[in-house]
C-alpha cells in the first residue's frame, strides 16, 4: 500500500548512521518520499552519495550554503515535511534540539518544522543513562516529540546496555500512518452533527437514533487537521445556521441525521391523552445538503447516507441527485457500527472513485475520512 508521506530524515553522527541507509530503503519501499539531511559528523560515517542514491534526492548538509538554499531552502524543506525523523540521534543533537539551538541545518529544521517529530537515539550506554541526557529526552517528550528506542544490547564500542538504535523496520512501524495534522491548514470546515428534534408540543418531539458521535469525531479530526470548525447545534435552526455560513466555508460535511419530516403544527400546550387515536401531520423538511450543493459559491460538499438496505445504490443515487462531491455511506440498524455505536465502517464514493474504510473506532475513522476529504478537496481545487 502506498503511504506517500514526505519524510525528512535527519542523520546525525553515530555509527548507527549506516542503519539509516536501510531505513531510507524501507520507507521508499512503502511509498514514502524521503529527503535526507546529514550533520557534518554524519558524513564522516556514511557518504552523502549513499543517501542520495537510496533516496533519489540530493542530500542536504549545510545551512549556509547558497547553492543548497537555492535548490530547496531550509524553510521550504521544513514546510515540505509531513514527518521529521532523526535517526540516529546522537546525545549532541538531542541536547541541541531540546534547548532550541540552531547552529546547523538539522537543528534549525527541528525548530522550523510544524509536523510530528520522531527521534531514534543511538549512543553509548553511559551517555544514554547520564542524567543530563535523560533530562534532555524528557524535555523533547514534553515538546511533543516521539522517542523511538533505544534498545538494549551489544554496542559497537564493546559495551552492553541501552543505547543501540532501534532496528529500521521497527522505526518504520512506529511512524503513524499518514498524519492528519495540517492537512486542512487554513481551511474552514462546517460540520453538522447529531439528530434533529422536531417538536410536537412543548414536551414531546420526533427524533432518530443518531448520537452525534461521528460528527463530533469529525469535528475533532478537522480541528487536528488545522481547520477552523464552527459548531452548529440546534435542530430546528440547522438549515438557517448552515445556509448562513456555508458560502464562506471551504468544506461542508453533513453528518447530521436531519429529520426528513417535522410536525406541521407545534401545539402550544401539552397534548392531552383523551382520544384513543391521534394523527400528527408531518411536513417534509428542507434538504440542507442539497441546498448547500446548489449554492453559487458552494463549498466542497460531503454527505452521509445511513441505510438499512441497498447501501451502494442509494449512496450513488444521493451523490448524483444532490450533486455532492463525496458521500460516506454506512449501514444502520445492524449489530455492529452505525448510530450510537463507538465503531463504524464507511463506504465512501465520489464521482470518479470510491474507498472502503473498514470497521474501526469513530475517532480513527473520522481521521481517515478527513484525510480523504483533504485529498479530494485538493484534487478538485488543482484541476
Ligand atoms: O436523502 P438522505 O436524507 O438520506 O441524505 C442524507 C444526507 O442528507 C445526510 O448528509 C444529511 O445530513 C443530509 N440531509 C440534509 N437535510 C435534510 C435531510 C438530509 O442535509 N433535510
Amino acid at each position: 500500500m502506498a503511504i506517500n508521506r514526505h519524510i525528512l530524515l535527519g542523520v546525525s553522527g553515530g555509527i548507527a548512521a549506516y542503519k539509516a541507509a536501510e531505513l531510507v530503503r524501507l520507507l521508499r519501499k512503502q511509498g514514502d518520499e524521503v529527503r535526507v539531511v546529514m550533520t557534518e559528523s554524519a558524513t564522516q560515517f556514511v557518504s552523502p552519495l549513499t543517501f542520495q542514491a537510496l533516496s533519489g534526492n540530493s542530500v542536504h548538509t549545510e545551512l549556509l550554503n547558497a547553492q543548497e538554499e537555492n535548490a530547496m531552502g531550509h524553510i521550504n524543506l521544513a514546510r515540505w515535511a509531513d514527518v521529521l525523523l532523526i535517526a540516529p540521534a546522537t546525545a549532541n543533537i538531542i541536547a541541541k534540539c531540546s534547548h532550541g539551538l540552531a547552529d546547523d541545518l538539522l537543528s534549525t529544521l527541528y525548530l522550523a518544522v510544524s509536523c510530528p517529530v520522531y527521534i531514534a537515539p543511538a549512543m553509548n550506554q553511559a551517555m544514554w543513562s547520564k542524567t543530563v541526557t535523560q533530562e534532555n529526552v524528557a524535555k523533547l517528550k514534553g515538546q511533543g516529540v516521539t522517542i523511538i528506542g533505544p534498545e538494549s544490547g551489544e554496542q559497537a564500542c564493546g559495551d552492553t546496555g541501552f543505547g543501540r538504535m532501534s532496528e529500521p523496520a521497527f522505526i518504520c512501524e512506529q511512524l503513524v500512518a499518514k498524519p492528519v495534522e495540517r492537512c486542512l491548514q487554513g481551511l474552514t470546515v462546517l460540520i453538522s452533527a447529531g439528530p434533529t428534534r422536531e417538536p410536537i408540543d412543548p414536551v414531546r418531539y420526533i427524533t432518530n437514533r443518531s448520537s452525534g458521535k461521528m460528527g463530533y469525531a469529525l469535528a475533532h479530526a478537522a480541528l487536528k487537521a488545522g481547520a477552523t470548525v464552527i459548531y452548529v447545534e440546534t435542530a430546528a435552526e440547522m438549515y438557517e445556521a448552515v445556509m448562513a455560513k456555508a458560502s464562506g466555508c471551504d468544506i461542508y460535511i453533513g453528518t447530521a441525521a436531519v429529520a426528513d419530516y417535522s410536525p406541521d403544527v407545534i401545539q402550544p400546550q401539552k397534548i392531552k391523552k383523551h382520544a384513543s387515536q391521534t394523527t400528527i401531520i408531518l411536513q417534509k423538511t428542507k434538504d440542507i445538503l442539497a441546498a448547500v450543493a446548489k449554492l453559487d459559491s458552494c463549498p466542497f460538499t460531503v454527505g452521509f447516507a445511513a441505510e438499512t438496505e441497498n447501501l451502494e445504490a442509494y449512496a450513488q443515487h444521493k451523490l448524483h441527485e444532490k450533486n455532492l462531491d463525496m458521500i460516506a455511506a454506512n449501514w444502520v440498524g445492524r449489530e455492529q457500527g452505525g448510530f450510537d455505536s463507538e465503531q463504524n465502517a464507511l463506504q465512501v464514493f465520489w464521482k470518479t472513485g470510491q474507498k472502503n474504510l473498514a470497521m474501526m473506532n469513530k475517532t480513527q475513522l473520522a481521521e481517515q475520512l478527513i484525510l480523504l476529504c483533504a485529498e479530494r478537496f485538493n484534487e478538485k481545487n488543482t484541476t
Side-chain angles (χ1 to χ4, degrees):
M1 182 192 71
I3 299 188
N4 292 325
R5 293 170 300 196
H6 288 176
I7 310 263
L8 190 55
L9 174 65
V11 181
S12 61
I15 182 60
Y18 81 91
K19 286 192 189 173
E22 172 70 356
L23 196 51
V24 176
R25 202 185 63 78
L26 291 177
L27 290 168
R28 288 206 65 196
K29 203 170 142 198
Q30 63 183 23
D32 289 317
E33 193 180 335
V34 183
R35 286 185 176 271
V36 179
V37 174
M38 300 178 80
T39 62
E40 201 192 331
S41 51
T43 63
Q44 310 282 320
F45 288 92
V46 181
S47 154
L49 255 185
T50 305
F51 286 108
Q52 181 177 311
L54 287 169
S55 69
N57 284 313
S58 47
V59 171
H60 307 263
T61 52
E62 286 176 60
L63 178 61
L64 304 174
N65 178 318
Q67 223 177 347
E68 274 190 27
E69 280 290 293
N70 228 355
M72 193 171 199
H74 67 278
I75 295 298
N76 281 339
L77 209 47
R79 286 193 189 130
W80 173 87
D82 289 325
V83 172
L84 170 64
L85 165 65
I86 305 182
T90 59
N92 183 49
I93 195 77
I94 287 174
K96 288 208 294 192
C97 290
S98 64
H99 286 81
L101 287 179
D103 62 352
D104 65 2
L105 180 58
L106 184 53
S107 53
T108 303
L109 282 168
Y110 172 75
L111 285 185
V113 295
S114 46
C115 61
V117 179
Y118 293 81
I119 287 185
M123 66 196 75
N124 165 270
Q125 53 83 25
M127 293 170 75
W128 173 251
S129 51
K130 202 53 127 223
T131 308
V132 68
T133 303
Q134 289 304 312
E135 284 172 357
N136 290 340
V137 169
K139 265 205 185 94
L140 286 177
K141 284 185 187 164
Q143 291 163 26
V145 172
T146 306
I147 306 291
I148 306 173
E151 311 300 327
S152 170
E154 201 181 315
Q155 301 200 290
C157 54
D159 280 5
T160 304
F162 275 96
R164 261 171 62 148
M165 188 175 89
S166 298
E167 289 305 316
F170 179 76
I171 295 175
C172 275
E173 274 170 27
Q174 301 310 299
L175 305 186
V176 286
K178 196 163 182 168
V180 74
E181 278 83 358
R182 296 188 307 125
C183 73
L184 296 178
Q185 193 75 43
L187 301 179
T188 302
V189 182
L190 182 59
I191 297 175
S192 66
T196 63
R197 290 174 171 180
E198 308 304 328
I200 299 169
D201 68 16
V203 292
R204 304 184 181 98
Y205 54 77
I206 297 176
T207 192
N208 57 58
R209 290 189 190 275
S210 166
S211 60
K213 281 178 188 157
M214 191 67 223
Y216 301 146
L218 273 166
H220 282 295
L223 273 174
K224 203 168 163 187
T228 311
V229 178
I230 306 160
Y231 291 91
V232 177
E233 277 183 13
T234 55
E237 286 140 23
M238 193 176 276
Y239 179 88
E240 299 300 329
V242 170
M243 294 309 280
K245 301 280 186 195
S247 290
C249 292
D250 300 291
I251 299 176
Y252 173 66
I253 309 179
T255 330
V258 186
D260 293 325
Y261 293 91
S262 69
D264 195 23
V265 178
I266 304 169
Q267 296 300 330
Q269 303 301 333
K270 185 180 171 192
I271 301 167
K272 289 292 169 193
K273 53 168 186 227
H274 299 310
S276 59
Q277 278 191 344
T278 187
T279 306
I280 297 168
I281 308 281
L282 300 175
Q283 278 294 340
K284 202 164 180 184
T285 57
K286 287 188 202 163
D287 193 308
I288 307 168
L289 188 63
V292 170
K294 275 196 194 120
L295 288 170
D296 284 340
S297 55
C298 74
F300 183 88
T301 310
V302 183
F304 267 71
E307 306 293 348
T308 54
E309 58 179 355
N310 304 331
L311 184 72
E312 176 163 358
Y314 285 153
Q316 290 280 14
H317 178 73
K318 283 172 198 176
L319 178 73
H320 291 95
E321 191 194 43
K322 301 192 191 192
N323 196 23
L324 309 177
D325 291 298
M326 210 164 97
I327 191 154
N330 67 275
W331 291 104
V332 283
R334 295 192 163 190
E335 220 166 81
Q336 254 198 321
F339 285 163
D340 207 22
S341 161
E342 294 304 323
Q343 291 202 318
N344 207 3
L346 291 173
Q347 287 181 35
V348 188
F349 303 94
W350 55 96
K351 283 172 188 131
T352 54
Q354 71 172 80
K355 185 168 181 173
N356 286 351
L357 302 176
M359 186 66 68
M360 61 185 103
N361 74 47
K362 285 184 176 172
T363 308
Q364 288 172 323
L365 189 64
E367 293 197 6
Q368 296 296 314
L369 189 62
I370 288 292
L371 274 165
L372 205 52
C373 284
E375 270 173 35
R376 310 302 330 149
F377 173 87
N378 288 334
E379 192 177 288
K380 188 180 177 188
N381 287 283
T382 48
T383 50

